[in-house]
Amino acid sequence: MNTAFQSNNQNTINLQHFGSLVVLDEQFTIVALSEFAAEKAALSTSTLLGTNFFESFAVAFGDAIQKIATALSELRENGQSRHILPIKIFQERVYFKLKIDQGHFYIEWEQQHKKYISARKINEFNFLLDTIQPNNWDRVCLAINRLLNYDRVFVLQIQETGYSEVIAEHTSDGKPYFRGKEFSKDFMPKEAMEYYSNYSYRYIPNVKKNDQNFVYIEDSIDTLSSLLCPLPHLHRLFLEKINVQSALFFRICIDDEFWGLVVAQHAEEKVIDLQQRKLCTFAIQAATNKYESHVKQNLLERTELLNSAEVELKKSLSENKMVNCALVQHIDTLMQLVNADGLSIFNQGDVFNHGHTPHKTLFYEIIQFLQTHSDKALFKDYNFTLNHQNHFKEKLNFAGLMYLKVGIESDYYLVWFRKASQSRVMQIRQDQKYGRKPDYLEVWEDVRYDVAKPWNDAEINFVLRLNQIIKESIFRKLRERQLLNEELLSLNNELEMFTYTLSHDLKNPLSILKMGIQFLQQHSDDIDLSKTNKWYQNFSRSISNIEDIINNMVQLSQHRASLLDKEPLPMAYTLQRIFQENKTLYNTPDCQSYFGQLLPIWGEKSAVYQIFTNLIVNAIKYSAQSDKPTIKIESTNQNDMTYYCIKDNGIGIPEEHLPHIYEMFSRADNVSGIPGTGIGLSLVKRVMERLGGTIEIESRVGLGTTVHLYFPIVAPFPDHMLND
């Protein structure tokens, strides 16, 4: 006996009753063992520590000791980590489970209770196993319980949120027990996850029998590797609380990640032979493989769908001048690929809604909240309402929210919404207050509201890919805009040259005209007919030259104007913003507005903004002196045109001045004291013409002015704009 181990450095913990455990170092010296193992050798644990295993257990195991030695040697030489060895020791059949871990040999044994499993049971089990569909965990529970005959078997899936959900169940009496319920985050602490993920299954024949002493002298001994390791304290208390004595827990791993458990529970102590446990393990692994293949197939199909959507989105982004227009065209796809109930696209105040979303006023409040409380590019909260309802006066009509902020400015968001769901949650708490026992566990059931299904990794990855696609499109369009600016700079230089050329080239024919007219006036009495005809020919050529010069300039202008691209533009928010901003700018607090139906139009955003800004500013300025200044804006569809009407009750335009309202620097006689340059309506008319539209103005002094605008509809508008 090695007396070096006779010290006070021994540590003791408790193991379960149904087996024995011995741990050896590389020289086969015993460095840890359980109480029942020592009893098998008929010696105390202190006596056995530090001795050679084969010497100390030679009598206890008889001829079987050589089989154990051979198995350990093969285990070490073959580099395997685990091995099961059924051995008959004298008259007792025993399972030996051998394992190598961190330089230690773990030898664990337990009694064999069944010599074999009946052929009928195996055939029945195989039939059930073959009929299990890839995602039918209820069938798995049924197959497992045909072998175990427990009160209930259920599948517990660990959610990303930390909650655990029972997704399938089979009970002996046919009545649901846990089905549809969730367990709170407290139910699966870190130590419980480590306990279940460390072994393919955990076997608890009697939850109350955990008082077998295990003595060890090295801190590196890992009892989690042993089936005799008892349940985490919290789960033991829980089983006792719900009157369960016997339990089995089978690990489920998907893509090498701990996914959940198949749990079997029985009210009475029940012995399950190792063969049955292993058969259940194989069955669950087979079902897991089917499910994993099913998940991978779904991922492949989803990837193909994502790739197809990505191609279409990239195509739309390249064809449309504005990113916003492309996203709105695919708003339904963007919502479905994230499995959301609704999607809102916010761009500088404009909002496009699809599906289940908050109304606009509430949505603006949500955007302001997000801008204030988060600077993340991607934000998700499956219980947004639960966490943030107190920041909103109105009841939120959704539970989960995820947003993607496009660009670096907080003025462009894609916001997905999920509806609230209701679930029953098992809450647990160890409570030692008020003189209660340390082992007192409080268990109760809550109904959880205002919580949505969390977004999974695949959905989040799609949003991240979407973000990258949009960034690339924005960068490309910025480059295109840069090139366009460079072209405009070149055009400005050309324009200066054309202006100089025009003034220079017109001087010559104009000088000829002027000189000829003066000559004819001075010699009208004595000039002959041939000279007169010659001057008239000169006049004609000069006029033709002037016409050619002007026509060339007009053609150039028309060619450049054709570069103006159009897109569908929502108008409601833009018009309201223009009115409010200029109402403040011109200090007209009494000015009231009436907005009727404000339809979208096809146009170029900056040009349309220029048109309506000029017209609304005029309406505000020239109606400010009225008793109740009022501006009315509404629209309708007329044939292939979107018609807008802007009406004010201002000072009006004198009838004699109406024919000149589009002339540069032209202003009526009744506008003295009101600031203005006289170029606004001229500019509006020219821009309307560049858009292919028309403008008409009606006005009477003292009764106000009405402006009629007609914008061509070049293609159908997206449904989301018309339903907005």
Side-chain angles (χ1 to χ4, degrees):
M1 182 179 69
N2 190 341
T3 56
F5 289 89
Q6 301 299 314
S7 68
N8 294 325
N9 294 327
Q10 297 179 6
N11 299 296
T12 303
I13 61 172
N14 290 336
L15 297 180
Q16 295 190 77
H17 265 62
F18 70 89
S20 303
L21 175 62
V22 176
V23 183
L24 315 179
D25 63 13
E26 293 182 342
Q27 287 73 44
F28 304 118
T29 300
I30 300 174
V31 294
L33 77 163
S34 69
E35 177 183 347
F36 292 173
E39 290 179 2
K40 186 70 175 178
L43 294 170
S44 68
T45 54
S46 299
T47 302
L48 289 168
L49 283 172
T51 65
N52 180 275
F53 170 75
F54 300 109
E55 294 176 0
S56 298
F57 282 85
V59 175
F61 294 149
D63 294 340
I65 197 72
Q66 187 57 46
K67 293 182 180 179
I68 298 171
T70 302
L72 287 177
S73 298
E74 291 177 351
L75 197 64
R76 178 160 55 183
E77 291 171 4
N78 296 335
Q80 296 177 333
S81 59
R82 297 177 187 268
H83 182 64
I84 295 179
L85 185 67
I87 299 178
K88 187 174 182 180
I89 300 176
F90 301 114
Q91 298 303 314
E92 183 183 21
R93 295 182 180 276
V94 178
Y95 295 114
F96 274 85
K97 289 162 280 184
L98 311 177
K99 175 185 174 183
I100 298 178
D101 183 39
Q102 297 182 358
H104 291 100
F105 294 97
Y106 289 74
I107 304 174
E108 183 177 333
W109 65 91
E110 64 174 276
Q111 183 181 354
Q112 180 178 345
H113 297 281
K114 280 183 177 290
K115 188 175 181 180
Y116 58 86
I117 300 176
S118 69
R120 183 184 63 80
K121 274 282 187 182
I122 294 293
N123 290 334
E124 182 184 76
F125 182 77
N126 286 335
F127 171 76
L128 288 172
L129 197 61
D130 290 338
T131 59
I132 293 175
Q133 297 301 311
N135 198 22
N136 191 346
W137 290 106
D138 282 300
R139 197 76 172 172
V140 175
C141 294
L142 170 62
I144 297 301
N145 215 14
R146 287 290 175 88
L147 276 178
L148 301 179
N149 293 317
Y150 269 43
D151 291 333
R152 54 187 163 269
V153 176
F154 58 89
V155 176
L156 187 72
Q157 183 182 2
I158 312 301
Q159 306 291 333
E160 294 178 18
T161 60
Y163 285 78
S164 307
E165 181 182 2
V166 177
I167 62 171
E169 183 182 45
H170 176 269
T171 59
S172 59
D173 60 5
K175 297 178 181 178
Y177 193 83
F178 286 120
R179 180 186 293 275
K181 293 183 180 180
E182 293 185 30
F183 291 86
S184 66
K185 295 178 182 180
D186 298 329
F187 187 73
M188 271 292 181
K190 182 180 178 181
E191 58 270 20
M193 298 281 280
E194 292 176 351
Y195 175 79
Y196 294 114
S197 61
N198 196 267
Y199 211 89
S200 58
Y201 70 90
R202 291 293 180 181
Y203 172 46
I204 317 294
N206 192 323
V207 71
K208 297 181 179 180
K209 293 183 178 180
N210 294 316
D211 54 359
Q212 178 185 185
N213 289 330
F214 178 74
V215 181
Y216 61 97
I217 54 177
E218 294 185 13
D219 292 337
S220 59
I221 301 301
D222 181 19
T223 55
L224 276 179
S225 299
S226 170
L227 273 181
L228 298 178
C229 186
L231 276 174
H233 185 64
L234 180 68
H235 286 193
R236 181 180 66 80
L237 294 179
F238 177 74
L239 292 182
E240 291 178 355
K241 186 75 174 181
I242 61 173
N243 298 317
V244 169
Q245 279 201 18
S246 182
L248 267 164
F249 302 85
F250 299 93
R251 179 187 64 192
I252 302 175
C253 289
I254 305 294
D255 283 335
D256 297 325
E257 295 289 333
F258 184 60
W259 183 87
L261 295 167
V262 175
V263 183
Q265 297 177 344
H266 199 65
E268 299 174 355
E269 179 177 353
K270 193 162 190 177
V271 175
I272 303 296
D273 190 78
L274 180 65
Q275 293 182 70
Q276 293 172 281
R277 287 178 254 149
K278 281 295 181 182
L279 197 55
C280 289
T281 302
F282 295 146
I284 291 168
Q285 185 58 54
T288 300
N289 291 339
K290 285 186 179 181
Y291 177 76
E292 199 166 18
S293 298
H294 168 72
V295 170
K296 289 180 179 179
Q297 181 61 35
N298 285 347
L299 286 176
L300 287 175
E301 294 174 0
R302 181 177 176 81
T303 299
E304 291 179 4
L305 183 63
L306 289 176
N307 290 337
S308 175
E310 184 176 326
V311 170
E312 290 298 319
L313 189 57
K314 285 182 176 178
K315 181 181 177 182
S316 295
L317 286 167
S318 63
E319 292 176 349
N320 286 278
K321 182 179 178 182
M322 302 297 293
V323 171
N324 205 46
C325 187
L327 295 180
V328 170
Q329 289 177 2
H330 295 274
I331 194 169
D332 186 62
T333 301
L334 295 177
M335 186 183 81
Q336 291 180 2
L337 290 176
V338 183
N339 291 319
D341 296 309
L343 169 60
S344 294
I345 300 176
F346 173 85
N347 181 19
Q348 297 180 348
D350 293 331
V351 182
F352 306 91
N353 291 322
H354 184 63
H356 184 82
T357 61
H359 61 76
K360 279 191 174 181
T361 303
L362 180 57
F363 180 75
Y364 288 141
E365 293 181 21
I366 294 170
I367 289 294
Q368 290 176 358
F369 173 82
L370 295 175
Q371 290 171 336
T372 304
H373 290 79
S374 176
D375 57 356
K376 296 179 180 178
L378 176 64
F379 170 88
K380 62 184 187 302
D381 189 345
Y382 68 93
N383 52 4
F384 182 88
T385 297
L386 201 62
N387 293 333
H388 303 294
Q389 176 64 70
N390 60 314
H391 292 96
F392 303 94
K393 295 181 181 178
E394 187 175 344
K395 172 70 175 175
L396 299 177
N397 66 334
F398 62 92
L401 176 150
M402 175 169 62
Y403 79 67
L404 174 66
K405 182 168 68 173
V406 179
I408 58 175
E409 300 294 334
S410 296
D411 58 359
Y412 202 153
Y413 290 88
L414 278 72
V415 187
W416 289 269
F417 300 95
R418 277 184 174 168
K419 296 179 181 178
S421 60
Q422 179 178 322
S423 59
R424 293 150 54 204
V425 180
M426 298 288 291
Q427 303 282 1
I428 59 176
R429 180 173 61 209
Q430 280 185 266
D431 196 346
Q432 300 183 28
K433 295 181 180 180
Y434 314 115
R436 287 172 174 165
K437 296 179 180 179
D439 282 354
Y440 180 82
L441 184 72
E442 188 177 3
V443 179
W444 73 100
E445 187 174 308
D446 274 346
V447 178
R448 192 165 56 134
Y449 303 95
D450 293 332
V451 175
K453 179 183 177 183
W455 279 276
N456 60 37
D457 291 341
E459 293 156 354
I460 294 169
N461 287 336
F462 167 72
V463 174
L464 293 175
R465 287 174 64 182
L466 175 64
N467 188 33
Q468 185 63 32
I469 293 170
I470 295 174
K471 281 183 178 179
E472 291 172 358
S473 175
I474 291 174
F475 177 78
R476 186 167 54 251
K477 292 185 183 301
L478 285 175
R479 179 59 183 159
E480 291 172 357
R481 189 172 298 175
Q482 182 181 358
L483 293 174
L484 181 60
N485 288 337
E486 293 173 359
E487 184 179 353
L488 288 174
L489 181 60
S490 174
L491 288 175
N492 286 334
N493 294 334
E494 287 182 33
L495 183 59
E496 290 183 8
M497 181 187 69
F498 289 147
T499 304
Y500 174 79
T501 302
L502 182 63
S503 63
H504 179 271
D505 290 349
L506 286 177
K507 283 180 181 179
N508 188 44
L510 286 173
S511 297
I512 293 173
L513 283 172
K514 183 178 180 181
M515 184 173 62
I517 292 171
Q518 290 175 348
F519 179 82
L520 291 176
Q521 287 176 340
Q522 293 173 3
H523 303 87
S524 59
D525 296 332
D526 57 357
I527 190 171
D528 60 37
L529 182 60
S530 62
K531 289 185 177 180
T532 302
N533 288 334
K534 186 177 181 179
W535 278 109
Y536 284 148
Q537 290 174 3
N538 289 336
F539 291 166
S540 179
R541 282 195 296 270
S542 297
I543 292 171
S544 295
N545 287 338
I546 292 172
E547 287 178 344
D548 289 342
I549 292 171
I550 292 174
N551 286 337
N552 286 336
M553 296 300 294
V554 169
Q555 289 177 6
L556 176 64
S557 174
Q558 289 176 342
H559 173 69
R560 296 305 181 191
S562 66
L563 294 176
L564 194 63
D565 293 328
K566 295 181 182 180
E567 61 175 322
L569 300 172
M571 297 304 300
Y573 179 85
T574 299
L575 296 180
Q576 293 171 17
R577 186 182 66 185
I578 291 173
F579 175 81
Q580 292 298 332
E581 288 176 351
N582 288 284
K583 177 180 175 181
T584 303
L585 182 63
Y586 288 95
N587 193 25
T588 56
D590 296 330
C591 189
Q592 300 297 316
S593 63
Y594 172 80
F595 294 98
Q597 185 180 28
L598 302 177
L599 296 170
I601 63 173
W602 279 92
E604 196 277 333
K605 194 167 187 177
S606 60
V608 171
Y609 185 85
Q610 200 172 20
I611 291 170
F612 282 97
T613 298
N614 274 283
L615 295 176
I616 292 174
V617 165
N618 283 348
I620 290 174
K621 289 195 303 184
Y622 298 127
S623 62
Q625 299 175 4
S626 303
D627 292 336
K628 294 181 179 180
T630 304
I631 297 172
K632 182 178 181 180
I633 303 177
E634 55 188 350
S635 66
T636 59
N637 283 328
Q638 297 185 4
N639 298 324
D640 293 329
M641 295 282 184
T642 302
Y643 163 71
Y644 263 85
C645 177
I646 303 175
K647 186 174 183 180
D648 66 58
N649 61 346
I651 60 176
I653 303 172
E655 184 178 357
E656 65 273 15
H657 191 74
L658 283 174
H660 309 287
I661 56 176
Y662 301 118
E663 296 175 3
M664 294 285 285
F665 310 111
S666 174
R667 304 192 76 203
D669 298 330
N670 62 340
V671 297
S672 59
I674 300 176
T677 61
I679 65 174
L681 288 178
S682 175
L683 177 63
V684 168
K685 182 173 176 61
R686 293 184 184 183
V687 176
M688 284 294 297
E689 289 172 351
R690 289 186 68 192
L691 291 173
T694 57
I695 178 173
E696 297 173 2
I697 294 180
E698 299 176 11
S699 187
R700 291 180 63 183
V701 174
L703 297 179
T705 300
T706 301
V707 180
H708 307 276
L709 301 170
Y710 299 88
F711 298 89
I713 299 175
V714 300
F717 291 101
D719 292 338
H720 317 294
M721 288 188 177
L722 300 177
N723 297 329
D724 196 26

